[in-house]
Amino acid sequence: MRRREEGSWARHHQGPYLDHAANPKFSYALRVAFLAYATHKANGHATFKQGEIGTALGRFDEDGTFVPLDRRAVWRAIQEAIDFDLLAPDSKTLCLVVPGHRISGGLGDEHAPCRRHPKRQSATRSLRAVS
């Protein structure tokens, strides 16, 4: 299928994405992307507390004990979702970012700052003079 730059838009309900994020039939990369699409705000950011994504992607072992996904596996899932262009490159374990070309709308202000992505220094401030 050819990717088209222009196309029609449709809204999505976030609830079914949350259900998919909990479904172990999907790969972790898809599940973490589903989690982002289920919880993002209008600015495209879905913020989480420490370990919250691992809990969302966890599973029950053979004894019926709940086991959260290991933090390294969470990181790998995020990186794979970024490689698939399902998440923006600045996604991390405390904030998943849905690419702007994939969404529009959501709760909140689309220009709201993200508490997990503090404003970066301007390029001129980060350059050092070298003599």
Side-chain angles (χ1 to χ4, degrees):
M1 175 184 264
R2 229 171 32 135
R3 181 176 176 205
R4 294 178 5 167
E5 292 301 318
E6 296 179 23
S8 61
W9 278 92
R11 296 182 192 190
H12 69 268
H13 289 278
Q14 290 181 303
Y17 284 98
L18 195 55
D19 293 340
H20 285 331
N23 188 336
K25 291 181 181 180
F26 292 110
S27 71
Y28 288 125
L30 284 176
R31 291 176 64 191
V32 77
F34 290 147
L35 185 62
Y37 283 76
T39 57
H40 74 81
K41 302 296 183 220
N43 64 0
H45 293 247
T47 59
F48 299 91
K49 296 176 184 167
Q50 191 75 35
E52 197 172 9
I53 294 175
T55 299
L57 301 180
R59 62 175 176 79
F60 288 95
D61 67 10
E62 55 279 345
D63 297 328
T65 304
F66 184 77
V67 180
L69 188 63
D70 175 82
R71 65 183 174 84
R72 292 174 298 262
V74 168
W75 184 85
R76 284 191 301 271
I78 292 169
Q79 296 309 306
E80 191 172 4
I82 291 169
D83 289 345
F84 291 157
D85 195 31
L86 297 172
L87 294 178
D90 52 344
S91 293
K92 53 188 178 179
T93 58
L94 297 178
C95 182
L96 302 175
V97 184
V98 179
H101 68 277
R102 293 193 175 265
I103 63 148
S104 180
L107 296 176
D109 177 6
E110 67 180 292
H111 302 291
C114 175
R115 63 190 169 122
R116 301 291 189 196
H117 286 97
K119 291 189 185 238
R120 295 182 178 99
Q121 292 181 342
S122 69
T124 55
R125 291 174 64 196
S126 63
L127 295 176
R128 289 185 287 171
V130 179
S131 49

